[in-house]
Amino acid sequence: MNRMNKITVMIIDEEAFFRAGVRQVLVQQPDFEILECAPSDRPMEMIEAHLPQVVLLGSSLGAHSGLELGRKIARYFPNTKVVMLSPNPDDEELFECIKTAAVACLSRNTAAEELVNTIRRASNGNTPSTRA
């Protein structure tokens, strides 16, 4: 499968172990190309260089607000769909995610199958359901 048919997914989270775990799940999908970076590694430049269809973005990025980064991605890269990953999304955080123009907000404990389906729906321009 050539790169043109692949869904490029970028994982942005401050926890390297979490990024590695998500990568391990997603790399099993033959139609996915996986990139990752820490929020301190200039994610906007990485996005500009690779133009992923989907960004999986940790919502609590310490000094770097995931919600603010989500807003920037939506503003500067409107073709890149943002899926927020939250430790424990509550109603207030779901509302904030929607305001960032994220297409979904999922728990970091979401099942692999649901994450894969959400990425596919987002990359096809469908708005996945936002849920905890």
Side-chain angles (χ1 to χ4, degrees):
M1 181 175 286
N2 66 31
R3 187 184 181 331
M4 296 301 289
N5 295 333
K6 290 197 174 212
I7 300 168
T8 304
V9 180
M10 181 177 289
I11 306 160
I12 304 174
D13 194 274
E14 64 187 357
E15 295 179 31
F17 190 71
F18 180 77
R19 290 193 314 266
V22 173
R23 172 187 279 279
Q24 189 65 31
V25 167
L26 298 181
V27 78
Q28 298 174 32
Q29 304 301 315
D31 58 332
F32 285 7
E33 178 181 1
I34 311 302
L35 306 167
E36 64 178 275
C37 77
S40 58
D41 292 339
R42 300 183 173 183
M44 293 297 285
E45 291 178 21
M46 293 264 306
I47 292 169
E48 185 173 20
H50 299 283
L51 297 175
Q53 285 95 342
V54 179
V55 168
L56 300 178
L57 181 60
S59 65
S60 55
L61 301 179
H64 305 82
S65 166
L67 294 170
E68 183 55 37
L69 182 54
R71 282 185 196 91
K72 286 181 182 177
I73 295 168
R75 183 179 317 130
Y76 295 109
F77 303 101
N79 293 327
T80 297
K81 306 304 181 205
V82 176
V83 175
M84 300 296 290
L85 299 174
S86 174
N88 191 17
D90 58 21
D91 288 344
E92 182 179 337
E93 187 169 24
L94 292 173
F95 181 69
E96 289 300 318
C97 287
I98 291 167
K99 286 181 11 185
T100 68
V103 298
C105 181
L106 299 174
S107 168
R108 289 168 68 101
N109 296 324
T110 295
E113 184 178 345
E114 183 177 356
L115 180 60
V116 167
N117 288 336
T118 298
I119 291 167
R120 286 203 173 102
R121 287 193 310 267
S123 73
N124 288 328
N126 299 326
T127 303
S129 60
T130 300
R131 51 181 238 147

